[in-house]
Amino acid sequence: CVLGLPFDTVDLAQAVEKIRAAASSNTRCFVSTPNLNFLMAARRDAGFRDSVLRSDLSLPDGAPIVWIARRLGLPLAERVAGASVFEALRAHAGPPLTVFFFGGPPGVAEAACRNLNKVPGGLRCVGFDGAGFGSVDEMSTPERIANINATGAQFVVVSLGAKKGQVWIERNAAALEAPVLCHLGAVINFIAGTVKRAPLWMQRGGLEWLWRIKEERGLWRRYFGDGVAASRLVLGRVLPYALFLRRRKGARPPPGLQATRAGDDAVEIRLDGAWVRATLEPLRHALSQGAASGVCVSLTLREVTEVDGAFVALLMLARGRMGPARLRIWQAPPVARSIFWYNAAEFLLEPAHIE
């Protein structure tokens, strides 16, 4: 968990293999690529935040996310940018995945499709829809979805702006036959040649944002606003959390979990002891069972003595699968509430859910 969103601890090669495996097995994989803008937008828009929680693969697209993770000792080894994933898929030696480009400025999706197919590789474009700048409803008609499905695409690349793109994917996921769905806004522009991607040394040095401003001058306002907001969070939450983690010492009592039925459609789970990354498997199993069975889960934390960011991220994922109405978190003690706050995840502990 980094500032309110969960991230998968995968590198670029692992992300590519997960996407190719999902495409080849026809298994749904909704990929989100949060960057700093995602983090800030998620704090303002609960629906947008929840779309990331509901995704199947969440990749750290922004260098600041990796920097923060390192400061907190989290195992995010490298930035996994959406554009880098696309290029790695394109360079893959295996059978090509079929791609459909959706969105982008007028003519860009068509140009991207044409340019992608000029050189054989691990991706082949089978269709495009330059959807323009209409509403999500206008871009979600049965005719449009049927046109995408008719191409047999395995991978739908969406370019509508982050918020609208996430909404469009969630609105149409059930009707889309392509197993892999992802909003990769700038990728269509990169492939079409209308915008150049930053040199590799700038990507590796965390300076790609500066290049993007050079290419698209209007982005400076967004980057400036996000940077100011993120700086406040780093000073107010990340650095105090890092100090807290350094000072934390002592033996951890073993975790305990007691699950009891509370009727036909409800389960109560009581936790005690320390619940951290190394001890989460029993809780992960219990929450997975609850999500699969459709019951409401009441999670009581009164006797918990310690939690960490991995615990918080697990509850985020459970909320994404179950929704807030089916996952209620009760009696969080001060030690747990502070960790939720440090991780910008206080939304999991809404006042109505705390005794």
Side-chain angles (χ1 to χ4, degrees), residues 105-125:
V108 170
E110 180 179 4
C113 185
R114 183 173 59 250
N115 289 346
L116 183 65
N117 289 341
K118 283 181 179 179
V119 180
L123 295 173
R124 179 171 59 87
C125 184

Side-chain angles (χ1 to χ4, degrees), residues 253-258 269-275 279 300-306:
L257 183 153
Q258 181 180 3
I269 299 175
R270 292 181 176 271
L271 302 181
D272 60 77
W275 287 90
T279 62
T300 301
L301 308 183
R302 182 173 53 196
E303 303 300 325
V304 164
T305 59
E306 183 180 351

Side-chain angles (χ1 to χ4, degrees), residues 7-80:
F7 292 88
D8 288 288
T9 54
V10 297
D11 59 22
L12 178 61
Q14 291 169 326
V16 167
E17 289 309 309
K18 284 181 178 292
I19 290 172
R20 285 188 59 85
S24 62
S25 63
N26 201 35
T27 301
R28 173 51 50 84
C29 186
F30 171 22
V31 184
S32 290
T33 57
N35 53 21
L36 197 62
N37 180 247
F38 265 69
L39 287 180
M40 298 304 104
R43 291 188 57 74
R44 299 186 296 267
D45 187 329
F48 178 67
R49 177 194 66 217
D50 288 349
S51 74
V52 179
L53 303 191
R54 288 188 288 265
S55 61
D56 301 295
L57 187 61
S58 180
L59 304 176
D61 187 286
I65 293 169
V66 178
W67 297 338
I68 292 170
R70 289 174 181 168
R71 182 71 181 177
L72 297 175
L74 303 179
L76 286 183
E78 63 182 55
R79 178 189 178 210
V80 185

